[in-house]
Amino acid sequence: AANFMSGEVSSCVANTLILNVANIGGGGAFSDWKIINGDNFLQIGRIILGKSIEPTLNPEYGDYSIGYVDLTLTKRASDNTKYFNVKPKMRVVNFTLKHLSTAEALSGFLDMQRELGLSGELLFTFSKPEYIGNINMTKDKNHYANTFLCNPAELNPLNCVYVNGWANASKFEEIV
């Protein structure tokens, strides 16, 4: 406790931790260190900045689904015993918007496809209209289930279903 250094961890990859030292105490040469989080504080996350698409009309009833895909690999031995290579589970969301305006379709979804392709990241959230712009997690504890960082799973063409009316089916997969 008399010999210490403290600061902010700037990165940690495999067995290498990079610490931006802000304070030191004591003296001497040491090869073994104990890592202590005295403030019980851990900050992990990303800042998401970007364009949002908020269609005027939600998917129609039955045109929205969310669930998990288990990426675990299963093999069977000759005696039919199952062996698992456990992998993470990821959320998958599918929805169809059948009443997009021209601006929502072309400046929203078509631009999103061009900019992201299949590898770009986006923050998907599907919330009740009264929470848009003011999500209250204490009021809607299930909101987290419909909010996650993801990639487009496929790029579907936009369909002009009537004059100035567009439709698009979308599928997103959680980044795990």
Side-chain angles (χ1 to χ4, degrees):
N3 298 303
F4 71 91
M5 62 180 165
S6 66
E8 184 176 314
V9 174
S10 61
S11 72
C12 184
V13 178
N15 293 329
T16 303
L17 182 132
I18 307 293
L19 179 72
N20 294 327
V21 178
N23 299 300
I24 58 170
F30 301 95
S31 59
D32 291 328
W33 291 92
K34 184 186 287 186
I35 299 173
I36 299 172
N37 183 0
D39 295 331
N40 292 323
F41 178 75
L42 179 63
Q43 181 176 344
I44 298 174
R46 298 179 176 181
I47 295 175
I48 308 281
L49 299 173
K51 182 177 171 183
S52 67
I53 303 171
E54 294 182 39
T56 305
L57 298 173
N58 287 331
E60 293 178 6
Y61 184 75
D63 286 336
Y64 177 81
S65 64
I66 188 168
Y68 280 91
V69 173
D70 191 341
L71 301 173
T72 296
L73 303 172
T74 305
K75 290 188 178 183
R76 290 187 181 267
S78 58
D79 66 353
N80 209 26
T81 302
K82 279 187 176 180
Y83 292 94
F84 301 97
N85 183 359
V86 178
K87 301 287 184 182
K89 295 164 191 69
M90 70 175 177
R91 284 175 279 193
V92 176
V93 63
N94 296 287
F95 60 92
T96 302
L97 297 168
K98 295 181 179 177
H99 305 286
L100 294 170
S101 69
T102 299
E104 291 168 339
L106 302 181
S107 297
F109 284 87
L110 194 61
D111 276 357
M112 178 189 63
Q113 290 180 6
R114 179 182 50 80
E115 291 175 20
L116 297 180
L118 296 176
S119 62
E121 297 180 357
L122 63 97
L123 180 66
F124 177 83
T125 185
F126 185 87
S127 61
K128 298 175 183 174
E130 63 266 24
Y131 298 138
I132 293 175
N134 186 25
I135 295 168
N136 182 345
M137 295 297 284
T138 59
K139 195 170 185 180
D140 185 3
K141 294 182 188 312
N142 296 316
H143 181 73
Y144 75 91
N146 285 318
T147 301
F148 52 93
L149 196 60
C150 59
N151 304 108
E154 53 194 35
L155 302 179
N156 294 315
L158 286 115
N159 299 306
C160 187
V161 292
Y162 52 88
V163 176
N164 296 322
W166 297 80
N168 183 251
S170 297
K171 180 177 183 179
F172 299 112
E173 295 176 338
E174 181 176 20
I175 296 170
V176 291

